[in-house]
Amino acid sequence: GVKLASLDIDQRSVCRHAAGIFLSRGHRQLALVVPDSGIAGDLASEQGFREAVDQHGNSEALPATVVHHDGTARHLGAKLDLLFSSSTPPTALLVAKPQHVFIVLIYLLKRGLAVPNQISVIARDYDPIFAIVDPPIAHYSLEEDAYVHRLSRLMVQMVSQDYPTPEPNLIFPKFFTGGTVRALT
């Protein structure tokens, strides 16, 4: 029955931002690739992604496509086969979870699709290898100083009050541009 404060990444805002990046670079067929986990962050990701596309106000943009998968390479590949065989395949993918980014990249290579020349990719989450591969993968990463600062403030607030505030404390991570997003002409 004890309600504690929480500290987390603002996945809804991250996905709104990523969709906005794609849309600002001329992409109109976007897809979010996310596990069918039911986890709050994944649900918030989907909500933010859809909001950005819906609110874009450009009649050329198609409705946001969300690809749910079970996390396995086989299932994700089957879902991507359906997506890329459609009459309006995506030109940009936002991918949740680092291991799924690599599954998607290998899938695209096997299909002969070059990143970023034919399809743009942004990783919703962070992995250190994203910055050292060539081209570096566009992604979001939490700056340690921002996390430590927010966590310290929460701890001081909890100690100085009789009860912790139960509302979530969300942090927006830094966007690393990388080299996997290109503008369409």
Side-chain angles (χ1 to χ4, degrees):
V2 176
K3 293 183 179 179
L4 296 175
S6 64
L7 182 61
D8 201 359
I9 293 174
D10 188 349
Q11 299 293 17
R12 179 178 170 208
S13 294
V14 164
C15 292
R16 281 179 62 95
H17 185 264
I21 288 171
F22 288 141
L23 291 164
S24 72
R25 286 172 173 75
H27 294 275
R28 298 297 177 258
Q29 291 84 26
L30 315 179
L32 168 65
V33 179
V34 64
D36 193 10
S37 66
I39 294 173
D42 291 341
L43 296 172
S45 295
E46 185 175 336
Q47 180 184 11
F49 186 75
R50 289 186 189 280
E51 287 172 356
V53 174
D54 293 345
Q55 294 174 1
H56 182 63
N58 188 324
S59 60
E60 296 172 14
L62 296 175
T65 300
V66 178
V67 178
H68 295 107
H69 60 88
D70 69 3
T72 64
R74 171 177 253 145
H75 190 251
L76 182 50
K79 292 289 194 156
L80 292 172
D81 279 339
L82 290 173
L83 183 66
F84 283 96
S85 297
S86 73
S87 60
T88 55
T91 60
L93 297 174
L94 172 60
V95 185
K97 311 289 184 197
Q99 66 271 27
H100 301 145
V101 171
F102 290 109
I103 293 170
V104 167
L105 291 174
I106 292 168
Y107 172 88
L108 295 172
L109 285 172
K110 286 175 24 181
R111 195 164 174 110
L113 296 170
V115 175
N117 294 342
Q118 293 168 293
I119 187 149
S120 292
V121 175
I122 296 177
R124 181 195 71 181
D125 306 301
Y126 171 74
D127 190 289
I129 202 165
F130 290 165
I132 61 172
V133 295
D134 188 26
I137 299 168
H139 65 274
Y140 292 85
S141 63
L142 188 59
E143 293 179 305
E144 284 185 35
D145 291 346
Y147 180 78
V148 169
H149 177 71
R150 291 287 292 275
L151 184 58
S152 299
R153 280 188 13 208
L154 267 178
M155 292 173 66
V156 168
Q157 183 182 18
M158 288 174 63
V159 170
S160 66
Q161 295 178 0
D162 291 336
Y163 59 91
T165 55
E167 70 269 353
N169 293 274
L170 301 175
I171 300 174
F172 188 85
K174 183 178 180 181
F175 178 65
F176 177 76
T177 307
T180 55
V181 178
R182 83 171 183 102
L184 298 179
T185 52

